[in-house]
Amino acid sequence: MSEIRYERLSGAALERALPELARLRIEVFSDFPYLYEGSQAYEERYLRTYAETAGSVIIGALDGDQLVGAATALPLAAEPEELRRPVAEAGYDVARVFYFGESVLQKAWRGRGIGVAFFREREAWARGQGGFTHACFCGVVRAEDDPRRPPGHVPLDAFWRKRGFEKLEGALGTISWRDQGEEAETAKPMQFWIKRLAGG
């Protein structure tokens, strides 16, 4: 494996990367805890909308010309009400909070610091936008006794805390998607985590 480079994907570079970005999301989110049943067409539409939002960023991790991972971020104010409301109700000014969407990375590249770099790059982007005091994200909540939980599954809580994020107790949003084996989308509870940005 060679050295990874990071690139902010936009314009023609983003357009070229959309199919691979969509494939990565479907691959990574099919695993527990997301168990996502996605489609290529839906993912490409989702990512294009994300990319066209003012202030948003998609950061690609590339091995040469091969996209092996990506992370997204945008102002929380651009997200739907079901994601804005829990943060507002916790006492934060939504207009000053940056939302980290997702990080997806091929399994072969995990454990090499790329996830850490994704947080670093998105925080740098958020600070560069001006006026943002906090960054947040949310993670799906699954029951401890969920029969689909793999043996030895370790939540990412410790990793997130090392990045300086803390669980925003009581702040639960919802995102709907179709689990593997489901006939239709259902709303999933999403726990928010938050961090004060340096200088914010």
Side-chain angles (χ1 to χ4, degrees):
M1 291 182 178
S2 58
E3 188 69 24
I4 285 289
R5 63 184 175 86
Y6 300 95
E7 180 180 334
R8 291 172 181 165
L9 301 173
S10 61
L14 175 58
E15 199 67 29
R16 288 193 301 271
L18 279 176
E20 188 61 14
L21 276 169
R23 191 196 64 74
L24 271 173
R25 273 179 48 89
I26 293 169
E27 174 189 327
V28 172
F29 288 134
S30 67
D31 290 340
F32 190 87
Y34 286 90
L35 301 170
Y36 174 61
E37 186 74 64
S39 74
Q40 188 78 11
Y42 174 87
E43 289 300 317
E44 289 191 35
R45 286 196 304 273
Y46 164 82
L47 288 162
R48 185 172 281 108
T49 300
Y50 213 109
E52 291 169 356
T53 300
S56 70
V57 66
I58 296 180
I59 297 162
L62 297 104
D63 173 21
D65 292 330
Q66 180 189 0
L67 186 74
V68 299
T72 65
L74 81 172
L76 180 60
E79 286 288 0
E81 171 66 15
E82 55 265 30
L83 292 183
R84 298 194 309 268
R85 185 178 58 251
V87 178
E89 289 177 348
Y92 292 88
D93 180 355
V94 167
R96 304 190 72 187
V97 179
F98 220 81
Y99 179 74
F100 292 179
E102 57 266 308
S103 296
V104 291
L105 183 63
Q106 289 179 352
K107 288 180 180 178
W109 289 90
R110 295 175 192 173
R112 291 166 51 90
I114 297 171
V116 174
F118 280 155
F119 274 94
R120 182 182 66 240
E121 292 288 328
R122 288 183 294 184
E123 288 179 33
W125 175 266
R127 290 194 303 272
Q129 299 305 296
F132 292 94
T133 59
H134 291 79
C136 76
F137 65 88
C138 57
V140 66
V141 178
R142 297 287 190 182
E144 287 296 325
D145 61 353
D146 191 316
R148 300 168 298 183
R149 184 183 297 272
H153 173 74
V154 178
L156 291 172
D157 296 28
F159 173 79
W160 294 331
R161 287 194 172 96
K162 284 182 181 178
R163 311 281 77 75
F165 286 81
E166 291 297 332
K167 190 178 290 186
L168 193 53
E169 296 296 346
L172 286 174
T174 59
I175 299 178
S176 296
W177 67 82
R178 185 162 62 94
D179 273 359
Q180 295 170 19
E182 284 187 336
E183 294 298 323
E185 291 186 354
T186 56
K188 312 297 193 298
M190 307 293 292
Q191 171 65 56
F192 272 89
W193 294 68
I194 199 157
K195 172 184 180 175
R196 176 173 285 278
L197 291 169

